[in-house]
Amino acid sequence: MKLAILSREKNNYSTRRLVEACKARGHEVKVLNTLKFALDLEEGDPDLYYNQKRLSHYDAILPRIGASITYFGTAVVRQFQAMDVYSANTADGILNSRDKLRSFQILSKHNIGLPYTTFVKDKKDIIPAINRIGGAPVVIKLLEGTQGVGVLLAHTMESATSIIELLQSQKQNILVQKFIAESKGRDIRAIVVGDQVIAAMRRVAQGQEFRSNVHRGGKTEQVELSEEYKEVAIKAAKIMGLGIAGVDMLEGKDGPQIMEINSSPGLEGIEGCTKIDVAGAFIDYIAGQVDFPEIDIRQKLSVSKGFGVSEFFIPKESGFVGNSIINSGLQEKDINVLTLHRNGKVIPNPKGERVLEAGDKLFCFGRLETMKELIPLKTRKRRKPKIKKLKAKDINKAKEVETKSE
């Protein structure tokens, strides 16, 4: 395998360990500075140049994209993907995890533990939002912060309001989260590679510090995670679209609470704590994926004209309830059920004999027009746009308002 590691820091611990692990396994590897690329776009022929020379072929890339170059870095990763070069983490996956608000919005659609979080802009919304998450104390986070920078604990409503107003006056976007008191300044960092957690450590804050990050002086200890914690970490990484990730979780009274997902987890702390060859696991995973890569099924299946993928919710009044998939009539309509979501669990490639229940959600591939017909007639009529002619008086009124506002 010929691997490119996209990194601006070729001499830091993580990059050096990845290069060593690659060479030890007989692979060819190069560290390429992400900012030295030029992207050429032409019909049917996306291309990359590095240091003004056309880039040679690579089997895979391992992006180590810093927060300061997210936009350009993910554009480079996307270009490699367009050229059919395997990436351990996709550009969309990196973008999803890098933005704290976006990652929580995506995770909130799934049955996965999260600290109650709120995001506000209007000053009048601050106090009602804090009350909704249970009142002070609350954790205030800058959306762009990393390594514990821009994370504050407000013990009272007054201090929370003052901090939020100050940050907003500086044009900062912030999240406000419920403080998980039972975590007691501790969190879990789990390293997810594909379908498994390969290493985990507990980080413990020191003294009066509530942030457990190693960069903030936190101490680490190896920990053996329960199946519940492993399952949540793996599920969170997959939801984000990441093959390799560091998943940070709080130990809440109701189980694991996702705190953050890192698409470029550092290796020094986790390898030093656990003595596990994490870098080697990254390389082995990438080599395996080069031979049998996972694909973006939505993109691949949506290319055929008139065909695509969609999800259907089965309400209790649906005629599908009580019927097996094979007797539902879906196959006769050229609709194939790819996965069935039931009670927070995903059943891939469900058998035809499986009986459908109220509340099931089906992820299907088929003819789009046929799938639209499965939406109840009332719903279709309600969603159909109503086209009306504008009256002259409405247009004149709008113009008057516009003139006054100018």
Side-chain angles (χ1 to χ4, degrees), residues 98-101 119 141-145 150 173-175:
R98 186 61 49 80
D99 185 323
K100 292 185 179 72
L101 177 59
F119 177 67
K141 293 183 178 181
L142 292 180
L143 288 187
E144 294 79 17
N173 289 312
I174 55 100
L175 291 180

Side-chain angles (χ1 to χ4, degrees), residues 101-392:
L101 177 59
R102 182 190 300 201
S103 64
F104 274 83
Q105 286 177 311
I106 294 169
L107 291 170
S108 67
K109 297 191 297 183
H110 299 269
N111 186 25
I112 197 164
L114 299 171
Y116 199 151
T117 303
T118 185
F119 177 67
V120 299
K121 268 294 186 184
D122 195 309
K123 189 184 297 185
K124 295 192 292 292
D125 290 330
I126 295 174
I127 292 176
I130 292 174
N131 284 330
R132 285 198 302 274
I133 65 176
V138 293
V139 176
I140 300 166
K141 293 183 178 181
L142 292 180
L143 288 187
E144 294 79 17
T146 59
Q147 299 177 345
V149 177
V151 180
L152 304 164
L153 177 62
H155 291 278
T156 67
M157 182 71 79
E158 291 75 16
S159 63
T161 304
S162 298
I163 292 169
I164 294 168
E165 288 182 358
L166 174 62
L167 292 173
Q168 288 182 338
S169 72
Q170 301 300 313
K171 309 299 183 186
Q172 297 286 349
N173 289 312
I174 55 100
L175 291 180
V176 184
Q177 287 184 332
K178 180 182 177 65
F179 177 56
I180 309 299
E182 61 270 23
S183 66
K184 298 175 183 175
R186 306 185 304 172
D187 69 24
I188 298 290
R189 161 63 64 92
I191 301 295
V192 176
V193 178
D195 289 325
Q196 58 182 322
V197 172
I198 61 159
M201 64 182 179
R202 179 180 286 115
R203 301 181 297 190
V204 184
Q206 300 299 297
Q208 298 300 310
E209 177 63 71
F210 81 100
R211 296 168 295 181
S212 55
N213 305 70
V214 175
H215 292 85
R216 308 256 70 80
K219 302 299 182 183
T220 63
E221 57 188 37
Q222 188 170 0
V223 62
E224 181 59 40
L225 295 184
S226 67
E227 287 304 314
E228 179 187 18
Y229 276 76
K230 288 180 182 178
E231 186 178 325
V232 166
I234 294 166
K235 187 175 180 180
K238 283 188 172 295
I239 291 169
M240 286 294 106
L242 299 173
I244 291 171
V247 181
D248 297 339
M249 298 173 283
L250 296 174
E251 298 173 87
K253 62 178 183 293
D254 299 321
Q257 304 280 300
I258 296 292
M259 187 170 63
E260 191 171 351
I261 303 171
N262 194 321
S263 61
S264 299
L267 303 183
E268 188 170 7
I270 193 75
E271 286 193 339
C273 175
T274 64
K275 311 305 179 191
I276 291 172
D277 181 10
V278 176
F282 285 10
I283 302 304
D284 290 340
Y285 170 75
I286 294 168
Q289 290 296 308
V290 166
D291 297 329
F292 191 69
E294 295 178 5
I295 60 172
D296 183 341
I297 187 170
R298 282 184 180 271
Q299 185 183 58
K300 294 291 185 184
L301 295 183
S302 298
V303 173
S304 302
K305 188 175 181 179
F307 284 79
V309 291
S310 191
E311 286 183 331
F312 302 102
F313 175 76
I314 300 179
K316 60 183 179 182
E317 64 272 11
S318 171
F320 289 133
V321 175
N323 283 317
S324 64
I325 293 174
I326 201 166
N327 292 327
S328 65
L330 291 172
Q331 291 181 344
E332 287 80 357
K333 295 176 183 288
D334 286 332
I335 298 173
N336 297 294
V337 180
L338 303 177
T339 59
L340 186 154
H341 298 246
R342 178 179 291 169
N343 298 326
K345 294 188 176 180
V346 179
I347 303 167
N349 194 24
K351 293 182 179 178
E353 295 77 22
R354 185 174 288 276
V355 176
L356 297 172
E357 299 177 2
D360 284 350
K361 189 160 65 173
L362 306 179
F363 179 61
C364 303
F365 169 71
R367 192 177 294 278
L368 291 171
E369 283 302 317
T370 307
M371 289 195 285
K372 284 178 183 176
E373 292 173 4
L374 298 179
I375 300 172
L377 185 60
K378 279 186 179 180
T379 305
R380 272 185 282 157
K381 285 182 177 178
R382 190 172 66 247
R383 292 178 180 173
K384 189 175 181 180
K386 295 176 176 62
I387 301 172
K388 297 179 180 179
K389 289 224 180 240
L390 278 173
K391 296 178 181 177

Side-chain angles (χ1 to χ4, degrees), residues 46 57-60 77-87 290 293 295 299-300:
H57 173 74
Y58 283 85
D59 298 304
V77 173
R78 198 177 297 112
Q79 188 83 344
F80 271 108
Q81 291 175 235
M83 295 166 62
D84 293 323
V85 177
Y86 173 75
S87 178
V290 166
I295 60 172
Q299 185 183 58
K300 294 291 185 184

